[in-house]
Amino acid sequence: MSHLSKWIIVTASLFFFTSCASAPEMTLDQYLEQNNALAISYLQSLDDTQLQKTLRGIKLTDGTPFLNDHIYIRSSFYPETKSHIFIFRESETKSKVAYIWVDGDGKPFPLPANCNPGYIHSPGWSAAVLSTDVYTFSDVMPGGDLVSTHCIENMVQK
């Protein structure tokens, strides 16, 4: 057997064994914990000079782009509930999306009811978390997930 053949067999074996022994995938909770922190940090870094501009965004831990090619419309902070809302327009579809979170010592922020903008597979759901899984609460909970919704026109603070 030639040196090249042995090298190919060794290399292929190493590749096979290292790929089989790779780290297990993150759980949804781990994914959201890491990526909520990344995304919120990015949102908090935005300033008025970026308003009405197309953003480059960031990559989440799995390489998924976050806010790439989104236009920053505005942000609001509601001190009575300690809720943060950032609104963007998707460059390609022109649809608006809001990202919302509530500080740990805040009060729940109500999501629009009975809104199904067509981007979620289950009728009646109006919001999602960063993993694109449906957000199952009717309010964005304090200290919880970063939540996105396309139901901006229906968004009312109680």
Side-chain angles (χ1 to χ4, degrees):
M1 188 179 283
S2 72
H3 289 292
L4 179 60
S5 298
K6 288 180 186 177
W7 181 83
I8 291 171
I9 291 170
V10 169
T11 303
S13 298
L14 283 172
F15 175 77
F16 174 77
F17 288 116
T18 55
S19 63
C20 289
S22 64
E25 290 188 32
M26 281 190 258
T27 65
L28 178 59
D29 287 340
Q30 291 168 327
Y31 178 88
L32 292 175
E33 182 179 340
Q34 289 181 16
N35 288 295
N36 282 336
L38 279 172
I40 288 171
S41 178
Y42 177 72
L43 290 168
Q44 290 175 322
S45 76
L46 298 175
D47 61 37
D48 290 347
T49 64
Q50 294 162 297
L51 285 169
Q52 304 305 319
K53 299 216 170 110
T54 302
L55 304 174
R56 294 179 71 153
I58 59 170
K59 290 198 184 271
L60 301 178
T61 57
D62 64 350
T64 302
F66 175 70
L67 294 177
N68 184 34
D69 290 330
H70 281 62
I71 298 165
Y72 180 27
I73 307 269
R74 68 180 168 90
S75 63
S76 300
F77 175 71
Y78 296 96
E80 62 279 2
T81 58
K82 297 190 177 182
S83 303
H84 305 260
I85 301 176
F86 285 74
I87 298 176
F88 303 88
R89 184 172 46 253
E90 296 173 346
S91 295
E92 193 173 303
T93 65
K94 306 294 184 212
S95 66
K96 289 182 182 176
V97 61
Y99 286 89
I100 308 159
W101 80 92
V102 179
D103 293 338
D105 58 345
K107 295 178 184 169
F109 184 89
L111 288 168
N114 300 319
C115 172
N116 187 11
Y119 77 106
I120 294 177
H121 304 296
S122 303
W125 295 107
S126 63
V129 293
L130 280 177
S131 62
T132 68
D133 289 301
V134 171
Y135 186 74
T136 57
F137 296 101
S138 60
D139 298 327
V140 179
M141 303 308 288
D145 294 314
L146 177 64
V147 176
S148 67
T149 182
H150 286 258
C151 301
I152 296 165
E153 286 74 24
N154 300 331
M155 199 176 303
V156 176
Q157 177 111 38
K158 293 177 186 172

